[in-house]
Amino acid sequence: MRVLSGIQPSGQLHIGNYFGMMQPMIANMADHELYAFIVDLHALTSVHDAQRLATGTLEAAIDFISLGLEPERCIFWVQSDVPEVTELTWILSTLTPMGLLERCHSYKDKTARGIAASHGLFSYPVLMAADILLYQAQRVPVGKDQKQHLEVARDIAIKFNAQFGDTFVLPEPAIDADLAVVPGLDGQKMSKSYGNTIPIFAGEKELKKQVMAIVTDSTPVDDPKDPDQCNLYNIFKLFAPAERLQEVRDLYLNGGAMYGKIKLELLELLWEYFRPARQRRKQLLADSGQVRELLRQGAERARAKATPTLDEVRRRVGLRY
């Protein structure tokens, strides 16, 4: 199975990125043909600081490797290092109905939250479709918020295949029902856009500040609470051992759950969970040239996979004469 997914270098990676995309992708190395990439072209829709984007791209790659991705066991690259994707984006955009993009809730949500409306933000799903279709991906791990974009990619592929003949594999979404949406500090989906994240590689002081800022209700300690409606509990359950999680769940249901104490326990769990990754990250930051070389090699391998698809697309649409 050919599995593909990408992550934006638009800020510090957080635990929502890890559980929603990174951990599942890393797990796919064992049994599937894995394509993992840093989507710097997508990040341009919100990041307009050259140094921030360049630094974020390299650090996102370092973070991914620190967390367990092994570039020699997959194809791992930076999106813009494979220019074929931008050509395919234009070709697909000539077939994409405006109404299909106008229905995408992500664009409406982002502009409503203050992100400047732009053609790039509006046509984001077409670039995402090109990312997927260029490599003939069969499965794409996505969160619930990205499921619509994958459906757009399928719609575009279906229309292209009907117009020009079978060319693209139709990708299928892979959504973990339990981890599709990791709650942020405020209970919304954890997102850099919302400023409600817990960074994976935050220092101890910053991490404590973020964990203690998790919003909870004012229900008295001794009163029963619904754990499934509490964003603190829903973050805690990602890290707690099963036996301890059951104990905490019982405290919620029967009374006795102390939010402050649970936050401090979560802080300790978080720090220990990512300890090996922090040590690996420190080593890679000291040798960033090694990471750049791994990305260069990954881009070469990605282009070798992309070129046959784009050549076929060019032939089918008439760009071979």
Side-chain angles (χ1 to χ4, degrees):
M1 182 73 70
R2 185 171 290 187
V3 181
L4 175 146
S5 193
I7 192 164
Q8 278 204 40
S10 54
Q12 285 183 296
L13 297 181
H14 53 76
I15 64 172
N17 298 139
Y18 178 72
F19 286 106
M21 179 271 185
M22 301 173 85
Q23 186 189 57
M25 288 293 283
I26 290 168
N28 279 316
M29 287 190 304
D31 302 314
H32 302 295
E33 183 182 350
L34 175 62
Y35 290 67
F37 61 118
I38 311 298
V39 293
D40 56 342
L41 293 174
H42 283 294
L44 283 172
T45 60
S46 59
V47 180
H48 302 130
D49 180 310
Q51 186 58 51
R52 179 185 165 199
L53 181 58
T55 300
T57 297
L58 183 59
E59 289 191 357
I62 288 172
D63 291 349
F64 222 143
I65 296 171
S66 300
L67 290 163
L69 189 80
E70 300 174 43
E72 66 275 10
R73 297 180 61 195
C74 63
I75 296 180
F76 181 49
W77 76 102
V78 173
Q79 183 185 29
S80 63
D81 285 341
V82 181
E84 286 80 1
V85 74
T86 55
E87 181 176 346
L88 181 59
T89 299
W90 173 253
I91 294 170
L92 297 180
S93 72
T94 65
L95 289 175
T96 304
M98 288 289 290
L100 186 63
L101 299 179
E102 288 169 346
R103 290 193 292 273
C104 289
H105 54 72
S106 178
Y107 173 78
K108 298 173 185 176
D109 180 62
K110 288 180 177 179
T111 53
R113 292 182 177 275
I115 296 178
S118 67
H119 174 262
L121 191 64
F122 182 73
S123 61
Y124 184 110
V126 185
L127 177 55
M128 182 172 169
D131 286 327
I132 296 166
L133 301 178
L134 184 60
Y135 302 100
Q136 305 289 6
Q138 297 163 293
R139 181 181 298 169
V140 183
V142 291
K144 289 179 180 177
D145 62 316
Q146 289 290 322
K147 184 174 183 291
Q148 185 183 41
H149 286 171
L150 188 60
E151 291 169 350
V152 169
R154 285 177 57 88
D155 289 344
I156 293 172
I158 289 169
K159 184 166 186 176
F160 187 98
N161 289 349
Q163 180 76 30
F164 297 107
D166 287 343
T167 306
F168 296 119
V169 169
L170 299 186
E172 295 289 343
I175 300 175
D176 187 321
D178 295 325
L179 299 178
V181 177
V182 175
L185 305 181
D186 54 2
Q188 298 183 88
K189 174 203 170 188
M190 186 172 290
S191 170
K192 287 167 280 193
S193 300
Y194 304 160
N196 64 354
T197 66
I198 299 177
I200 296 170
F201 294 111
E204 289 186 83
K205 287 185 179 179
E206 182 187 358
L207 186 63
K208 183 175 182 179
K209 179 182 178 181
Q210 295 302 99
V211 170
M212 299 310 290
I214 295 173
V215 175
T216 52
D217 61 32
S218 58
T219 305
V221 171
D222 293 332
D223 288 5
K225 309 170 183 68
D226 183 353
D228 298 320
Q229 297 303 312
C230 178
N231 51 311
L232 173 59
Y233 176 84
N234 285 322
I235 297 172
F236 184 85
K237 73 180 182 181
L238 300 172
F239 299 95
E243 183 176 343
R244 178 56 182 156
L245 182 62
Q246 186 58 55
E247 292 173 354
V248 171
R249 185 175 183 85
D250 289 342
L251 288 174
Y252 269 86
L253 296 173
N254 301 316
M258 299 176 63
Y259 292 139
K261 185 176 179 181
I262 294 171
K263 287 180 179 180
L264 290 174
E265 186 174 349
L266 171 61
L267 177 63
E268 183 177 345
L269 288 169
L270 271 164
W271 189 254
E272 289 304 314
Y273 187 93
F274 292 113
R275 182 184 293 276
R278 282 197 308 277
Q279 294 171 345
R280 175 64 172 150
R281 184 175 188 267
K282 185 177 180 180
Q283 296 169 350
L284 291 171
L285 284 170
D287 187 11
S288 59
Q290 174 190 358
V291 178
R292 288 187 177 91
E293 176 59 21
L294 290 170
L295 291 171
R296 186 194 65 77
Q297 294 173 9
E300 285 186 355
R301 296 168 63 199
R303 292 192 77 178
K305 298 289 186 179
T307 299
T309 297
L310 187 58
D311 283 347
E312 180 65 9
V313 169
R314 287 168 176 163
R315 185 185 68 79
R316 287 183 179 273
V317 303
L319 296 177
R320 284 285 179 264
Y321 56 90

